[in-house]
Amino acid sequence: MSIPQWFAGQALLADDMNARNPKLITQQNDQTVTTSTTLVNSEITFVPEPNAVYQYWLYISYSATVNSDLRWAWAAAGATLASFTIGYAATAGSGVNTGSDVIMRRPGNTTARAAGGTDTAGTTPPVNFHSAYDLGTFVTDGTLSSVTLQFAQNTSHADQTILRGGNQTRMIYARIG
């Protein structure tokens, strides 16, 4: 269904009006990855309409040590993303409340994004909560394919990397064209 242009005297349908409403997807449960840089699917997934343009805002909550960090990417076979991301660039010895560099980038469609952890090596599970952001737009092709957030450790390590659930990691998206 496309977002139509409306004209005087035209009947408006509920589906046409509701297509413009923002939608929310939440990560309900914590998901943990240990000793792996292989991306796994999160609970942030949906099937967008074909031949459409969407705007999205992804708010990631995670915990990781300085050894493992976080890496995320999109599995979106039928969509081309234009992402703008912000992630914590942890440095050795930095604490959760210590200022540090951030990574602000415009990664390619299939490029993984990274964000650092601050828990000391060997802290299992890591207890510091961090945020990373990914926002932008995506265009879908003519197929019905899911868009799924995937995550892993940025560096394979025995320390845990946790994508936080309980309504902490969430995505808001809206069809804009």
Side-chain angles (χ1 to χ4, degrees):
M1 164 191 326
S2 65
I3 294 183
Q5 180 175 356
W6 297 310
F7 301 99
Q10 180 179 356
L12 296 177
L13 301 175
D15 284 347
D16 294 334
M17 296 296 291
N18 288 328
R20 296 175 185 246
N21 293 340
K23 295 171 183 61
L24 172 70
I25 304 170
T26 58
Q27 175 79 21
Q28 293 298 314
N29 303 290
D30 286 355
Q31 280 183 263
T32 303
V33 175
T34 305
T35 318
S36 177
T37 58
T38 302
L39 292 165
V40 296
N41 291 342
S42 73
E43 296 174 8
I44 305 291
T45 187
F46 74 104
V47 178
E49 296 176 30
N51 301 313
V53 180
Y54 287 84
Q55 184 174 14
Y56 74 95
W57 303 266
L58 173 67
Y59 306 103
I60 299 172
S61 178
Y62 70 97
S63 297
T65 70
V66 295
N67 289 331
S68 59
D69 298 328
L70 171 78
R71 182 167 61 104
W72 79 93
W74 292 101
T80 302
L81 284 91
S83 291
F84 300 86
T85 65
I86 301 171
Y88 185 67
T91 55
S94 64
V96 70
N97 291 318
T98 303
S100 185
D101 294 336
V102 295
I103 304 165
M104 299 177 74
R105 61 185 301 220
R106 167 53 187 99
N109 191 52
T110 58
T111 303
R113 296 95 163 125
T118 58
D119 280 281
T120 0
T123 305
T124 298
V127 295
N128 294 335
F129 283 59
H130 299 287
S131 296
Y133 306 96
D134 189 338
L135 55 108
T137 60
F138 63 91
V139 178
T140 59
D141 63 15
T143 62
L144 277 174
S145 334
S146 63
V147 172
T148 303
L149 171 68
Q150 297 181 314
F151 78 103
Q153 291 181 320
N154 197 45
T155 304
S156 180
H157 198 275
D159 293 344
Q160 295 177 347
T161 296
I162 304 169
L163 180 66
R164 295 296 181 172
N167 289 330
Q168 295 182 63
T169 297
R170 56 188 54 219
M171 179 177 160
I172 301 167
Y173 67 96
R175 181 164 179 181
I176 58 172

